[in-house]
């Protein structure tokens, strides 16, 4: 079992453990709009995204950055509050739209979704789908245990 | 992050628990984004009402703030509703938006200005030069930065709300002098440039500029408030452009040199007749063969001048049976149009003049599959549509064919 610890910047506190889901940039508004309107939010419904039809529930989302609408953060918050969002987020660069989801979830709903970025090693070289991660948003670290 | 004495007192609850909680959130956002400090704001604009009225997370936050006694501390307005249920001219509200949501009542309790428009800078919430604002709605943000010289970033939804309550936002991006300089020089060399061409110019600019600030030369003579609104909305859709300068016209660019902050452009692009023609072709992503079902104009909301101009084209004409003509504008322009008999001309021609949101309506059934034509660069980017100038849109509504 190989273990690597990446060091970066914690943007939202808390500790979460789970399986990594590595993917491309996400427009959370595009991903969740239909689910929010129908009241049956669970999966990503953006047909242009590789995770179309999949859920982030229970996963640690590893992706470069969020794109698109300014409603991205409020859409992510909805997924987090409904329990179908990621347990933690590891990315390269965090903007306000993405950060708003986890920060407002913490302040208003006491739900912790740690966010870590600016890691000392490229997370896309180091982390693969299914790796077991421990994300510490207080210390800004990501512990990676390789799958298999 | 450095906080002022007043901000420390706000965090300690001296201005009440709602301000305390709102500011606490803003501070956490600012720390996460590595901001050095906050900036006092003089206004907010709230967006995406269509989506938010279904967001239990958002509604819960608004309720919590209201329970703590929140009211907005600075002039705060709101984006359009999908349709206008009080207006008999309005298209019917799609099922997805029916049913009550507590949000509208909550906004009244917060004392949000019920102007229901994506052009609040024309109606109900008019900023002035130099003000720092926390605004949503990318088409409005680019207008107030560029044309008015107010200062605002493309604020994430949720931040606009807590900023309205605390009167602060994160000091970053376009709040800072250094970040407002022009970066790309864009020379427009189009023969016989028309005000109608501005949506296409913006559409192209957004693609080549990304997040950079263009300095646009060669459009000064045709740059009305309406055409600048349409150009910015398109540029903020195809790109994340939040500001532009026009030398001799916009307030922070008295000269070309000043537009670049006495620096040099990092890139020069040219828009000529060929670029403009190609861009207009690209804006039409829908099938060109066959008829159309909806002609929709006013995204962002039409100015009063645009309403008057489309009424002149419609006078004595009739929209084809089975085709809908939507003309979206703010309620101030609707009142004026009624006063002047313009609304009656539009009604007699079969057009619908209402204060709704084309994008919201056309995203959901029963409208989403209907064939759409618009003069809006923003709509042509987000929806499968045909692009046409206002004149072409009217001709299509009358003939039923693009």
């Amino acid at each position: 079992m190989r273990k690597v610890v990446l060091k970066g910047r914690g943007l939202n506190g808390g500790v979460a453990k789970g399986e990594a889901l590595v993917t491309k940039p996400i427009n959370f508004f595009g991903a969740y709009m239909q689910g929010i309107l129908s009241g049956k939010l669970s999966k990503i419904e953006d047909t242009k995204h590789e995770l179309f039809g999949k859920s982030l529930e229970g996963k640690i989302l590893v992706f470069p950055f969020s794109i698109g609408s300014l409603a991205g953060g409020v859409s992510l918050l909805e997924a987090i509050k409904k329990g179908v969002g990621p347990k933690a987020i590891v990315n390269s660069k965090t903007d306000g739209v993405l950060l708003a989801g986890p920060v407002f979830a913490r302040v208003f709903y006491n739900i912790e979704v740690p966010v870590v970025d600016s890691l000392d090693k490229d997370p896309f070289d180091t982390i693969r789908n299914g790796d077991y991660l421990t994300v510490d948003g207080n210390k800004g670290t990501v512990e990676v245990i390789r799958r298999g | 992050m450095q906080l002022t004495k007043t901000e420390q007192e706000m965090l300690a609850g001296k201005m009440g628990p709602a301000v305390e909680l709102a500011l606490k959130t803003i501070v956490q956002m600012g720390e996460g984004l590595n901001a050095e400090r906050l900036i006092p704001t003089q206004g907010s604009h709230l967006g995406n009402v269509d989506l938010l009225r279904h967001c239990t997370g958002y509604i819960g936050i608004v309720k919590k703030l209201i329970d703590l006694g929140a009211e907005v501390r600075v002039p705060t307005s709101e984006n359009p509703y999908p349709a206008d249920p009080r207006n008999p001219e309005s298209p019917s509200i799609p099922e997805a938006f029916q049913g009550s949501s507590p949000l509208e009542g909550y906004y009244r309790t917060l004392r949000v200005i019920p102007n229901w428009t994506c052009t609040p800078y024309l109606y109900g919430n008019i900023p002035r030069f130099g003000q720092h604002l926390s605004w949503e709605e990318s088409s409005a943000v680019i207008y107030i930065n560029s044309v008015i010289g107010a200062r605002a970033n493309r604020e994430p939804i949720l931040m606009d709300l807590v900023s309205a309550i605390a009167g602060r936002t994160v000091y970053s991006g376009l709040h800072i002098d250094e970040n407002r300089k022009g970066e790309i020089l864009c020379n427009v060399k189009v023969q016989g440039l028309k005000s109608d061409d501005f949506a296409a110019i913006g559409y192209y600019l957004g693609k080549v500029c990304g997040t950079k600030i263009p300095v646009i030369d060669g459009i000064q003579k045709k740059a009305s408030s309406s055409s600048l609104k349409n150009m910015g909305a398109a540029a903020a859709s195809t790109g994340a452009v939040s500001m532009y300068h026009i030398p001799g016209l916009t307030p922070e660019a008295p000269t070309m040199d000043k537009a670049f902050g006495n620096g040099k452009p990092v890139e020069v692009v040219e828009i000529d007749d060929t670029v403009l023609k190609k861009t207009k072709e690209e804006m039409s992503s829908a099938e060109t063969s066959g008829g159309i079902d909806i002609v929709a104009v006013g995204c962002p909301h039409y100015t009063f001048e645009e309403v008057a101009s489309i009424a002149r084209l419609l006078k004595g004409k009739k929209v084809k049976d089975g085709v809908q003509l939507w003309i979206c504008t703010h309620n101030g322009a609707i009142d004026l149009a009624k006063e002047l008999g313009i609304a009656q001309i539009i009604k007699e021609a079969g057009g619908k003049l209402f204060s709704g949101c084309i994008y919201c309506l056309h995203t959901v059934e029963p409208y989403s599959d209907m064939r759409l034509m618009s003069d809006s660069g923003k709509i042509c980017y987000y929806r499968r549509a045909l692009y046409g100038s206002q004149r072409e849109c009217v001709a299509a509504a009358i003939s039923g064919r693009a």
Side-chain angles (χ1 to χ4, degrees):
Chain A
M1 197 161 64
R2 289 200 299 142
K3 193 164 100 174
V4 186
V5 178
L6 309 178
K7 290 195 178 61
R9 207 166 66 91
L11 292 92
N12 192 46
V15 179
K17 296 167 189 282
E19 250 183 44
L21 179 59
V22 184
T23 191
K24 295 177 184 168
I26 300 177
N27 175 344
F28 287 101
F29 171 68
Y32 289 134
M33 182 190 73
Q34 294 300 339
I36 291 171
L37 289 179
S38 69
K40 293 176 202 138
L41 180 61
S42 71
K43 296 180 172 67
I44 288 180
E45 295 183 61
D46 181 348
T47 52
K48 292 176 209 141
H49 201 276
E50 63 180 8
L51 293 181
F52 172 69
K54 301 217 169 84
S55 172
L56 301 180
E57 185 177 346
K59 305 283 185 188
I60 300 211
L61 177 63
V62 182
F63 80 134
F65 44 81
S66 73
I67 51 171
S69 170
L70 300 174
V74 77
S75 304
L76 176 59
L77 171 73
E78 191 70 8
I80 292 170
K81 180 175 170 277
K82 293 248 164 94
V84 297
K87 282 171 90 171
I89 295 170
V90 176
N91 66 351
S92 310
K93 193 175 182 303
T94 312
D95 68 356
V97 171
L98 171 68
L99 188 61
V103 164
F104 281 76
R106 156 197 301 284
V107 175
F108 286 91
Y109 294 107
N110 295 315
I111 305 172
E112 287 196 328
V113 177
V115 181
V116 174
D117 76 359
S118 310
L119 292 163
D120 55 358
K121 292 196 188 84
D122 185 348
F124 303 98
D125 287 344
T126 328
I127 304 171
R128 297 203 163 63
N129 264 328
D131 287 353
Y132 190 80
L133 308 184
T134 303
V135 180
D136 188 327
N138 308 312
K139 292 185 195 154
T141 57
V142 181
E143 183 191 278
V144 186
I145 298 174
R146 273 288 162 76
R147 174 183 55 141
Chain B
M1 195 163 58
Q2 289 239 314
L3 296 179
T4 64
K5 190 159 168 282
T6 310
E7 286 158 2
Q8 286 169 15
E9 286 174 3
M10 288 159 89
L11 271 186
K14 282 207 177 161
M15 296 176 80
V19 171
E20 177 188 339
L21 190 59
L23 194 71
K24 185 179 158 192
T25 321
I26 296 167
V27 168
Q28 289 204 15
M29 287 290 290
E31 282 175 344
L33 298 170
N34 263 350
E36 53 179 279
R37 63 177 173 99
L38 305 180
I39 181 89
T41 54
Q42 283 96 40
S44 275
H45 178 70
L46 311 176
N48 288 64
V49 186
D50 56 318
L51 179 82
L52 295 178
R53 60 199 300 281
H54 290 266
C55 287
T56 61
Y58 181 83
I59 291 170
I61 287 171
V62 179
K63 176 158 194 322
K64 179 147 194 187
L65 289 165
I66 285 175
D67 289 346
L68 294 173
E71 276 187 12
V72 298
R73 279 163 53 86
V74 292
T76 301
S77 45
E78 59 202 343
N79 245 18
Y81 202 72
D84 183 354
R86 294 158 304 181
N87 181 349
E89 309 298 323
S90 173
S92 56
I93 296 204
E95 201 185 325
F97 301 124
Q98 285 174 11
S100 63
S101 162
L103 195 58
E104 290 90 1
Y106 288 167
Y107 279 175
R108 271 194 295 277
T109 308
L110 286 173
R111 299 190 180 276
V112 173
I113 301 161
N115 56 345
W116 303 109
T117 180
C118 43
T119 60
Y121 49 85
L122 297 176
Y123 176 64
N125 192 9
I126 302 169
R128 67 166 165 73
F129 182 83
Q131 283 185 324
H132 292 270
L133 304 165
S134 174
W135 275 35
E136 235 276 66
E137 175 54 42
S138 63
S139 72
V141 168
I142 190 171
Y143 189 94
I144 59 172
N145 274 313
S146 313
V147 183
I148 296 179
R151 298 183 171 215
N153 289 319
R154 293 157 68 100
E155 199 83 278
I157 290 188
L158 290 165
M159 275 297 283
D160 47 358
L161 174 76
V162 285
S163 290
I165 289 162
R168 294 289 187 284
T169 192
V170 175
Y171 185 63
S172 65
L174 292 174
H175 292 292
I176 303 171
D177 283 343
E178 183 66 20
N179 300 332
R180 297 175 69 84
K181 294 176 184 171
E183 295 166 282
I184 296 181
L185 174 60
C186 172
N187 290 311
V188 179
K189 294 179 177 165
V190 172
Q191 303 293 321
L193 180 74
K194 296 187 194 68
S195 302
D196 274 345
D197 293 330
F198 278 57
I201 291 173
Y203 197 96
Y204 181 76
L205 274 181
K207 289 195 303 168
V208 295
C209 295
T211 59
K212 292 204 172 70
I213 298 179
V215 176
I216 313 160
D217 198 24
I219 59 171
Q220 282 84 344
K221 284 185 182 159
K222 294 287 175 185
S224 66
S225 304
S226 308
S227 51
L228 292 176
K229 171 203 67 158
N230 297 332
M231 179 178 78
S237 300
T238 57
V241 184
S242 300
M243 184 167 186
Y244 55 81
H245 296 287
I246 304 172
L249 197 145
T250 53
E252 290 172 64
T255 63
M256 183 67 87
D257 275 352
K258 287 261 167 52
F260 286 104
N262 300 316
K264 291 257 177 293
V266 294
E267 198 184 332
V268 181
V269 297
E270 193 164 303
I271 298 184
D272 57 17
D273 293 276
T274 314
V275 171
L276 196 66
K277 183 165 175 282
K278 270 194 180 164
T279 305
K280 286 179 182 175
E281 284 165 13
E282 189 190 330
M283 288 164 79
S284 289
S285 60
E287 296 286 328
T288 45
S289 56
I292 44 167
D293 302 310
I294 301 171
V295 174
V297 296
C299 174
H301 273 170
Y302 256 8
T303 61
F304 172 70
E305 290 75 16
E306 289 176 302
V307 174
S309 134
I310 199 167
R312 281 195 293 275
L313 295 171
L314 283 168
K315 191 166 188 182
K317 307 270 177 36
K318 199 82 191 164
V319 171
K320 191 177 167 70
D321 267 355
V323 176
Q324 303 196 44
L325 172 62
W326 298 350
I327 301 165
C328 294
T329 186
H330 55 79
N331 279 310
I334 292 177
D335 283 348
L336 290 173
K338 283 181 182 162
E339 177 95 23
L340 292 168
I342 289 170
Q344 190 60 28
I345 292 170
I346 291 169
K347 189 178 175 183
E348 280 166 9
K352 298 171 186 293
L353 182 68
F354 68 108
S355 66
C357 164
I358 298 169
Y359 174 82
C360 311
L361 285 178
H362 195 260
T363 308
V364 297
E365 289 176 352
Y367 303 117
S368 50
D369 292 332
M370 293 186 183
R371 294 163 300 178
L372 176 70
M373 180 167 178
S374 182
D375 64 353
S376 158
K378 181 169 181 168
I379 280 295
C380 288
Y381 177 72
Y382 283 111
R383 307 299 308 159
R384 181 180 288 274
L386 285 176
Y387 168 75
S389 65
Q390 186 186 67
R391 184 175 291 275
E392 289 162 347
C393 280
V394 167
I398 291 163
S399 69
R401 304 190 75 80

